[in-house]
Amino acid sequence: MNAEEVDRLSNLPDDLINKILSFSDTKDAIRTSVLSSRWKNTWKSIPHLDFSLDHLTSLPKFYECVNRVLPSRNNEIELESAKLDIHREVSQTFVKKILNYAFTHSVQKMTISYCFSRDIEFPMSLFISRSLKDLTLIGLSYHYTKITSTWDLPALTTLCLDGVKFKFGDNYNELCGLFSKCPNLKNLTLTKCEICHGCGPFITISHPQLSTLNVINGYQSYAINVVAPHLKFLTVVNCQGGLISAPELSSLTYEMQGHFTFSTDGLFSLEKVDFYICYPDKEDAPKIIDMLQQFRNVKYLTLGLEIVEVLASSVQLVSHLPSPFANLTSFKIYPANIDHFPRPLHKSQPSRMKEEEQENLKMPTEVKNYVLDGSPNAIVTIFSRQDMKALENAKAAQQILLELQMLLAKQKYKC
């Protein structure tokens, strides 16, 4: 057989074929059966399912595809992952059919995105699985999901909720109850989530095994209390905070556009802090200082330039205070990413240093002593706004150069 006649597709190992097809949705994976005689039935053994209405022109075709694929698939092959993308009014019965199939085939990772035209009662009771370890739920609508039950997912370790809008009753504990049957949950991410409830201004996130918590762009009508005895990593971006009770917390990232509201309870294990407030007022200085006092054990401290500017305008508050930082090895100052946070209309423009000071930023002696007297050998890194702008321009230029190199390579190939 000549080299031109070798069927290289048929000679690929099964693991590689499955890896290739895992990057396609199920419909496209089935289409590959025409590429090679060996690939005719390969799609039936792929350990991944991906049903998306984006790739199917109508709801009837979506139903037809699912009804054809599930019975034809090799039932002896367990599922590593399943993706369900619903952008129309798919019936709960049909959703249940797909979830039941995934759960009975020991699915380990599942991603569900949905968009409905009205408030719905999402079938949370369908999430009953002994195998599921990673769940991502993405809400793509302005409507709320009514919670009437809890997830029963004892193997779940990672949960990501993005754009999900929950509707609870008058008991805020229902949020904690949602995770109560997930005893091994370690990583929780809440992005652009809203919670409608009638219990008051606070929501408590509490879980005994939680290790990583990210709360990003939360709804501003309530504050979040964090009670997690084994929490190691906490990120809070543009979300009101209440009390942090996490004695084992080692890393904290906090970024807020206006007044910060977090208080802490014994963060003795904290080693790394990134602390930004995009639009602080001079009146925030006492609270900022109180917060910095809680960071006394940190080794790596990054402060937003705006915070340093507020401290510089209130040196009398720190001039008599000893430095709380005895273990500091790295101290950095970066401008907050204000582009991510529109300027609040009710707040006055924060004080800014003069341009010549920005180019070679120097902290007032009182502020410098407050931060560095306890750790005189700490490495100090300061980025002005001009530095950050230059860095952004350099990255943009690098991207343009990369695109030009790709275009040049294509032209060379054509020649």
Side-chain angles (χ1 to χ4, degrees):
M1 180 179 293
N2 296 329
E4 292 79 2
E5 298 175 339
V6 175
D7 186 355
R8 295 183 178 180
L9 290 176
S10 294
N11 290 332
L12 292 176
D14 291 342
D15 290 344
L16 181 56
I17 295 174
N18 287 336
K19 185 67 175 178
I20 294 172
L21 296 183
S22 68
F23 293 104
S24 302
D25 63 88
T26 299
K27 178 184 176 182
D28 287 339
I30 295 173
R31 287 176 171 175
T32 62
S33 60
V34 302
L35 298 177
S36 166
S37 58
R38 184 181 165 208
W39 284 37
K40 183 177 182 181
N41 294 309
T42 300
W43 68 270
K44 298 179 180 179
S45 300
I46 302 173
H48 308 278
L49 282 179
D50 186 346
F51 294 117
S52 173
L53 277 173
D54 284 342
H55 302 99
L56 297 163
T57 56
S58 67
L59 193 59
K61 287 188 176 181
F62 176 78
Y63 288 151
E64 179 185 356
C65 179
V66 173
N67 286 328
R68 186 162 61 95
V69 168
L70 296 186
S72 301
R73 190 178 174 276
N74 187 346
N75 282 321
E76 296 181 1
I77 303 297
E78 293 185 346
L79 284 174
E80 294 179 12
S81 68
K83 181 179 179 182
L84 181 59
D85 200 354
I86 308 170
H87 289 179
R88 298 184 184 92
E89 297 294 342
V90 178
S91 68
Q92 289 192 14
T93 302
F94 213 75
V95 173
K96 182 176 181 179
K97 179 178 181 178
I98 299 174
L99 293 181
N100 283 343
Y101 182 90
F103 292 148
T104 55
H105 287 78
S106 303
V107 65
Q108 297 184 34
K109 181 178 181 179
M110 179 174 288
T111 300
I112 299 177
S113 59
Y114 64 92
C115 180
F116 295 102
S117 59
R118 53 184 172 79
D119 288 0
I120 64 165
E121 184 175 318
F122 199 82
M124 296 296 180
S125 59
L126 301 181
F127 288 92
I128 301 175
S129 170
R130 303 296 170 186
S131 62
L132 191 63
K133 297 179 180 180
D134 189 324
L135 173 62
T136 297
L137 192 62
I138 304 172
L140 303 173
S141 69
Y142 294 101
H143 300 275
Y144 283 89
T145 300
K146 187 177 180 181
I147 304 300
T148 58
S149 58
T150 61
W151 283 307
D152 189 359
L153 303 170
L156 191 71
T157 60
T158 300
L159 176 62
C160 299
L161 304 177
D162 187 345
V164 179
K165 298 172 177 60
F166 291 115
K167 180 177 288 186
F168 293 101
D170 294 335
N171 185 1
Y172 73 91
N173 287 322
E174 290 179 4
L175 177 62
C176 299
L178 185 62
F179 315 132
S180 63
K181 293 185 179 179
C182 306
N184 292 303
L185 183 63
K186 292 181 172 60
N187 308 301
L188 175 61
T189 297
L190 305 175
T191 303
K192 295 180 291 186
C193 290
E194 295 185 13
I195 300 172
C196 178
H197 64 98
C199 65
F202 288 95
I203 291 291
T204 298
I205 297 178
S206 175
H207 196 284
Q209 298 301 322
L210 204 60
S211 175
T212 300
L213 174 61
N214 304 305
V215 186
I216 301 170
N217 292 335
Y219 191 47
Q220 296 294 306
S221 65
Y222 61 87
I224 291 180
N225 292 328
V226 177
V227 181
H230 297 299
L231 190 68
K232 304 288 187 183
F233 307 97
L234 174 61
T235 297
V236 180
V237 177
N238 201 25
C239 182
Q240 294 188 46
L243 173 69
I244 303 175
S245 180
E248 296 183 10
L249 190 68
S250 63
S251 176
L252 171 64
T253 298
Y254 183 85
E255 188 169 354
M256 189 69 179
Q257 79 171 33
H259 295 288
F260 72 96
T261 53
F262 261 122
S263 60
T264 62
D265 180 17
L267 302 182
F268 303 115
S269 300
L270 199 59
E271 293 188 349
K272 182 178 183 297
V273 171
D274 296 329
F275 186 26
Y276 298 91
I277 304 176
C278 295
Y279 295 102
D281 285 331
K282 187 176 180 179
E283 291 74 16
D284 292 323
K287 292 194 297 182
I288 291 174
I289 295 170
D290 287 343
M291 179 66 83
L292 292 177
Q293 293 292 122
Q294 299 296 316
F295 301 155
R296 61 177 64 91
N297 293 322
V298 299
K299 296 180 180 179
Y300 311 96
L301 176 63
T302 299
L303 293 181
L305 175 59
E306 295 73 17
I307 291 176
V308 176
E309 290 174 346
V310 167
L311 294 178
S313 66
S314 308
V315 293
Q316 70 279 2
L317 297 179
V318 297
S319 59
H320 66 285
L321 295 177
S323 174
F325 308 114
N327 303 314
L328 207 60
T329 62
S330 173
F331 175 57
K332 298 180 181 180
I333 299 175
Y334 285 94
N337 193 344
I338 294 178
D339 291 341
H340 291 173
F341 300 93
R343 177 169 171 251
L345 297 177
H346 66 280
K347 293 180 68 64
S348 59
Q349 181 69 26
S351 61
R352 299 295 187 205
M353 293 185 175
K354 297 179 181 179
E355 288 190 10
E356 58 269 21
E357 291 177 322
Q358 291 183 26
E359 293 177 359
N360 187 21
L361 177 63
K362 292 183 180 180
M363 291 183 292
T365 301
E366 295 87 348
V367 177
K368 184 177 180 180
N369 292 342
Y370 173 71
V371 176
L372 297 174
D373 265 4
S375 302
N377 296 322
I379 298 174
V380 180
T381 305
I382 300 176
F383 274 74
S384 68
R385 294 184 180 90
Q386 283 76 9
D387 294 331
M388 296 303 293
K389 188 65 176 178
L391 183 61
E392 291 172 0
N393 291 339
K395 289 181 178 179
Q398 188 177 29
Q399 179 62 32
I400 292 173
L401 180 60
L402 179 61
E403 293 174 357
L404 289 174
Q405 289 174 338
M406 294 176 64
L407 289 173
L408 180 60
K410 289 181 180 179
Q411 292 300 321
K412 287 183 177 180
Y413 177 78
K414 290 180 180 179
C415 293

